[in-house]
């Protein structure tokens, strides 16, 4: 009887050890230890107005027989000409977030270009910048994180002008609203509608040099406003609602 009891105890011990080994083999810590590589490599974890952060992955973009496919940073940059991580993050961390079905969401903001003459700036061009994200962890590699940014683009055009990336990126970095005259640009941002007009305190002698200024916010930007310089200049702005 004692021999039978000993044998049964030994078998039970082996079963327990085997179960522990199997559990360790499928432990989530092992399955998530390796970071995703290749097209699923995370280039930056973006601030996100939804849960957690939003991965910006390497992605890919290709055209075959007139058909396009892709996602992530490669598609954003190669197809749509957005060239700054910060430009995408400015959108993903903003308040404009709409459910598109399943775990897909669309987010958006605005970038605007102002022409300033004799102390008054008028809106001459704006783009609605849209970013599509996927919160699902399926097909996201081994890191068990959301698939992330699918694409980002300027509505109405295939490729965004360079100033759009610059404007959104600078706003994302919280660049001061007033910079030195030598830089010849002004940036503004806000989560509420910006005023119909605004005045800078700087007084600069009139010149014939065209300058560039930017504006950003989460609500509509004004159609007019004063220029920091009395000469003709161009100002760029961004917002989360249409510029006016």
């Amino acid at each position: 009887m004692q021999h039978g009891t000993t044998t049964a105890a030994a078998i039970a011990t082996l079963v327990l050890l085997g179960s522990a080994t199997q559990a360790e083999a499928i432990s989530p810590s092992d399955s998530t230890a390796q970071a995703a590589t290749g097209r699923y490599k995370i280039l930056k974890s973006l601030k996100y107005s939804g849960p957690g952060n939003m991965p910006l992955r390497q992605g890919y973009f290709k055209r075959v027989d007139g058909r396009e496919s892709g996602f992530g940073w490669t598609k954003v940059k190669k197809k749509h000409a957005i060239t700054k991580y910060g430009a995408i993050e400015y959108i993903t961390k903003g308040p404009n977030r709409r459910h598109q079905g399943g775990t897909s969401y669309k987010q958006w903001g605005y970038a605007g270009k102002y022409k300033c003459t004799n102390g008054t700036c008028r809106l001459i061009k704006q783009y609605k910048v849209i970013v599509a994200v996927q919160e699902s962890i399926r097909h996201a590699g081994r890191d068990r994180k959301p698939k992330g940014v699918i694409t980002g683009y300027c509505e109405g055009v295939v490729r965004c002008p360079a100033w759009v990336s610059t404007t959104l990126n600078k706003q994302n970095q919280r660049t001061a609203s007033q910079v030195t005259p030598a830089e010849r640009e002004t940036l503004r941002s806000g989560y509420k509608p910006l005023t119909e007009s605004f005045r800078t305190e700087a007084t600069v002698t009139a010149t014939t040099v065209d300058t560039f200024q930017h504006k950003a916010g989460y609500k509509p930007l004004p159609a007019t406003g004063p220029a920091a310089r009395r000469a003709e200049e161009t100002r760029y702005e961004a917002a989360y609602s249409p510029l006016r």
Side-chain angles (χ1 to χ4, degrees):
M1 291 294 294
Q2 183 178 3
H3 176 72
T5 302
T6 302
T7 302
I11 293 174
T13 300
L14 289 173
V15 170
L16 290 172
L17 288 173
S19 299
T21 302
Q22 183 178 14
E24 183 178 356
I26 61 175
S27 169
S29 62
D30 276 357
S31 64
T32 61
Q34 295 183 358
T37 58
R39 64 180 58 176
Y40 291 102
K41 177 182 179 181
I42 295 178
L43 302 179
K44 184 176 176 62
S45 291
L46 307 176
K47 293 179 181 178
Y48 181 48
S49 56
N53 291 332
M54 185 56 58
L56 177 60
R57 298 182 186 272
Q58 180 68 55
Y60 75 98
F61 177 69
K62 65 180 180 181
R63 292 188 182 93
V64 178
D65 297 329
R67 302 183 64 180
E68 298 179 347
S69 62
F71 79 98
W73 180 242
T74 300
K75 181 177 182 180
V76 169
K77 185 176 181 180
K78 187 174 181 179
K79 179 177 180 180
H80 299 299
I82 295 178
T83 59
K84 305 287 185 181
Y85 294 169
I88 298 298
E89 185 172 58
Y90 180 75
I91 304 300
T92 61
K93 74 180 185 182
N96 299 330
R97 177 171 171 264
R98 180 178 297 163
H99 188 216
Q100 298 296 292
T103 53
S104 298
Y105 290 84
K106 180 174 76 173
Q107 299 181 269
W108 66 94
Y110 299 84
K113 179 179 181 180
Y114 285 76
K115 186 173 184 179
C116 307
T117 306
N118 297 325
T120 300
C121 299
R122 298 186 182 281
L123 180 64
I124 59 174
K125 186 65 179 178
Q126 72 168 318
Y127 287 100
K128 182 178 183 180
V129 182
I130 298 172
V131 173
V133 301
Q134 173 57 258
E135 292 184 354
S136 173
I137 63 174
R138 295 181 61 190
H139 312 299
R142 300 180 179 181
D143 54 24
R144 304 292 293 172
K145 295 180 181 179
K147 187 171 184 179
V149 174
I150 302 302
T151 190
Y153 58 95
C154 290
E155 187 175 62
V157 296
V158 175
R159 296 178 66 81
C160 297
W163 59 263
V164 171
S165 292
T166 301
T167 301
L168 297 178
N169 183 57
K170 287 187 175 182
Q171 292 307 306
N172 187 59
Q173 295 172 349
R174 296 176 181 269
T175 306
S177 62
Q178 298 297 330
V179 295
T180 60
E183 292 178 341
R184 297 184 183 131
E185 61 184 21
T186 297
L187 302 101
R188 293 188 173 213
S189 61
Y191 292 94
K192 294 183 179 181
L194 299 177
T195 58
E196 285 293 332
S197 63
F198 54 90
R199 282 285 171 187
T200 61
E201 297 180 357
T203 300
V204 183
T205 303
T207 68
T208 58
V209 179
D210 288 344
T211 60
F212 295 89
Q213 298 185 356
H214 307 72
K215 195 182 185 76
Y218 292 94
K219 295 292 183 178
L221 297 181
T224 62
R229 306 175 71 89
R230 295 181 181 279
E232 181 172 297
E233 54 188 341
T234 303
R235 171 174 295 177
Y236 299 97
E237 310 198 2
Y240 289 103
S241 294
L243 306 177
R244 297 174 295 168

